[in-house]
Amino acid sequence: MNPTNGRIALVAVLAIMVSQRTIAQVPNAAASATCDAECAAQSQPNEESKRLPTGSAAERKARMAARANAPAYTRKFDLSGLPPYVPQEHPAGVLRVAGNNYVGDSPLGQWWKAAFEKFQPGIRIEYDLQTAAIAVPRLYFDLADIGINHEPGFYDRLSYLRLKGFAPTGISVFTGSYDYVGWQNNLVIIVNEKNPLTRITLKQLDGVFGSLRDGGWVGTDWHPEFSRGREDDIRKWGQLGLGGDWADKPINVHGYSVRYATAIEFSDKVLQASDKWNGDLHTYANYRKPDGTTYLEANQIVDHVKNDPYAIGYVRFHQGFPPGVKVLAVSKGDHGPYVEYNIDTLQQRSYPLWGDQSFWFTVKPGEKADPKVREFIRFVLSREGQELVQRDGKYLPLTPQIAAQELAKLQ
């Protein structure tokens, strides 16, 4: 599989066995070091997964079985502002839903199916939730009605455009997981705990991690107005406002292999979807060590940052970052506000590096979506659908404001 477009089955994934607990905010630099070691250990194959082909959907499902049924948070958001589901139509037939395996691995997918089919007894949902890699391809080959995935990668979009003649439609259905590895955790920026920096803007991140470019992408459209010159490069800590001995010290940058979906997501959010990275960027990927254990890419990034006062990295958040690193507040604008990463700012999407999952589907220009698709989306964005997201406890439910914005796209 090519992981560039999010179609990736990792040899091992970041994992944390999380018991039911309330998660209120990001831990400080003194977070437990033992959790980091436990996370690495729990990412290794178990007896059941060892019997399956490495990297396959079945092998990954076996490795993640325990986590799939354990919520990562017990926080209860007020969902009373979400509209209750009231059917507008009662179509009949099979609704084919493909993609995101985490929806199928956890109880969420079956909860949605059971609840929706009570409202709509004429519709029968058929899931194919082996991997997000199939979400958009099954759409453009007319093998699914809905594909569940994050933003499609470049070639998924291009293939869809070539076969359909127009772009797929996407509606965001929940926000990325706050603290559950594998359930699309959100991006955070980390520095060494000795670093006095506490906050950073998206433009500064572009300066740190990016480089001169002649444009960037929006979907499959090239935009030369996204170009920038070398004068916007940030390579010394003094350029981020640090003085004294820090001013002329180099910024040592760390991140994921640029073939990974995580790197593509970071590029889309920070580098104007450009392929031009800082030439000194250190990149990492999961690899199997001689003792048979897997050294996870995120752990490699964290290890380098905690051992280098002049390092900075982007990484998917999980509880248990070891002592030695801290998470920066991030601003979308050049002058603030700077937003800390916590469960509230993530659920509200005020934290700029939030992630999500969307329902992708086919709507010809000037027409409406298939009634079965439309009704299922309306259900998932309703109070009943989002209460099940919260009950599952990995992804975060939408706020009423975000749900209203997404529902408007159905018009």
Side-chain angles (χ1 to χ4, degrees):
M1 291 185 186
N2 181 353
T4 301
N5 297 319
R7 304 187 299 271
I8 178 170
L10 300 178
V11 172
V13 295
L14 278 170
I16 298 179
M17 299 288 286
V18 186
S19 59
Q20 295 189 12
R21 65 181 187 279
T22 300
I23 299 176
Q25 57 188 358
V26 178
N28 59 26
S32 170
T34 59
C35 179
D36 194 59
E38 290 172 3
C39 295
Q42 291 161 4
S43 297
Q44 309 312 319
N46 56 39
E47 290 305 313
E48 182 179 355
S49 70
K50 288 177 182 178
R51 295 192 291 267
L52 299 166
T54 301
S56 67
E59 185 265 345
R60 180 170 55 179
K61 184 180 180 69
R63 270 192 288 111
M64 303 185 75
R67 276 169 288 154
N69 292 287
Y73 66 90
T74 56
R75 170 69 177 277
K76 300 301 180 186
F77 297 97
D78 181 5
L79 304 181
S80 62
L82 290 166
Y85 176 64
V86 178
Q88 292 179 345
E89 300 177 75
H90 288 280
V94 175
L95 179 67
R96 303 164 300 169
V97 182
N100 185 323
N101 52 286
Y102 303 118
V103 172
D105 293 345
S106 72
L108 179 59
Q110 292 304 317
W111 289 344
W112 274 346
K113 173 180 167 67
F116 179 68
E117 289 179 353
K118 286 183 179 179
F119 283 106
Q120 294 281 3
I123 299 176
R124 179 169 57 85
I125 294 178
E126 286 185 355
Y127 282 135
D128 186 353
L129 302 177
Q130 299 180 71
T131 170
I134 66 174
V136 178
R138 290 189 75 81
L139 279 184
Y140 57 68
F141 284 127
D142 296 321
L143 298 173
D145 304 301
I146 293 175
I148 310 177
N149 200 359
H150 45 66
E151 285 289 324
F154 182 84
Y155 276 100
D156 268 346
R157 283 187 176 274
L158 189 62
S159 298
Y160 190 101
L161 177 63
R162 292 288 188 265
L163 295 179
K164 295 292 187 181
F166 51 90
T169 298
I171 289 185
S172 183
V173 294
F174 45 65
T175 300
S177 172
Y178 169 67
D179 176 40
Y180 221 56
V181 178
W183 270 253
Q184 199 197 354
N185 301 52
N186 302 272
L187 296 169
V188 293
I189 309 303
I190 58 172
V191 296
N192 188 280
E193 67 176 353
K194 297 178 182 178
N195 193 315
L197 193 71
T198 60
R199 61 189 193 177
I200 197 165
T201 69
L202 290 184
K203 184 176 181 180
Q204 288 172 330
L205 285 172
D206 183 3
V208 170
F209 285 92
S211 67
L212 174 151
R213 61 172 176 263
D214 297 309
W217 295 97
V218 175
T220 55
D221 295 324
W222 179 252
H223 286 256
E225 68 271 22
F226 293 159
S227 63
R228 75 164 179 83
R230 293 189 188 281
E231 66 275 8
D232 290 326
D233 287 352
I234 296 176
R235 301 294 183 260
K236 304 285 186 180
W237 285 106
Q239 294 174 272
L240 290 176
L242 301 190
D245 293 340
W246 286 87
D248 63 348
K249 295 298 188 297
I251 301 175
N252 299 325
V253 287
H254 301 267
Y256 292 69
S257 166
V258 296
R259 292 180 177 237
Y260 274 4
T262 300
I264 298 299
E265 181 183 342
F266 184 85
S267 172
D268 288 349
K269 286 179 164 59
V270 176
L271 309 182
Q272 301 288 357
S274 161
D275 300 318
K276 296 298 294 295
W277 294 80
N278 182 330
D280 293 324
L281 175 69
H282 296 276
T283 61
Y284 308 93
N286 294 348
Y287 70 90
R288 190 66 59 87
K289 295 192 291 187
D291 64 1
T293 60
T294 299
Y295 194 10
L296 303 176
E297 78 284 79
N299 284 354
Q300 294 172 60
I301 296 168
V302 171
D303 287 345
H304 280 86
V305 172
K306 75 178 181 182
N307 292 323
D308 179 4
Y310 308 116
I312 188 171
Y314 70 91
V315 70
R316 292 202 183 277
F317 176 76
H318 65 272
Q319 289 279 12
F321 283 169
V325 301
K326 64 180 180 181
V327 176
L328 299 183
V330 180
S331 172
K332 183 177 181 179
D334 295 346
H335 305 290
Y338 293 87
V339 182
E340 300 282 350
Y341 182 93
N342 60 51
I343 197 168
D344 291 305
T345 61
L346 183 57
Q347 195 255 348
Q348 296 160 7
R349 298 188 177 180
S350 59
Y351 175 74
L353 296 178
W354 57 268
D356 71 337
Q357 291 281 297
S358 295
F359 281 178
W360 296 92
F361 54 99
T362 295
V363 184
K364 291 182 179 180
E367 298 185 6
K368 287 188 175 182
D370 179 321
K372 299 189 299 297
V373 170
R374 196 162 58 245
E375 287 299 317
F376 188 53
I377 291 173
R378 291 185 61 251
F379 166 76
V380 169
L381 295 182
S382 73
R383 187 185 309 161
E384 290 87 349
Q386 294 298 301
E387 283 175 346
L388 294 176
V389 172
Q390 179 165 264
R391 177 184 169 192
D392 184 52
K394 268 85 78 176
Y395 294 114
L396 298 176
L398 300 182
T399 66
Q401 294 77 16
I402 295 169
Q405 293 169 7
E406 298 303 313
L407 279 169
K409 297 178 183 178
L410 282 176
Q411 306 306 316

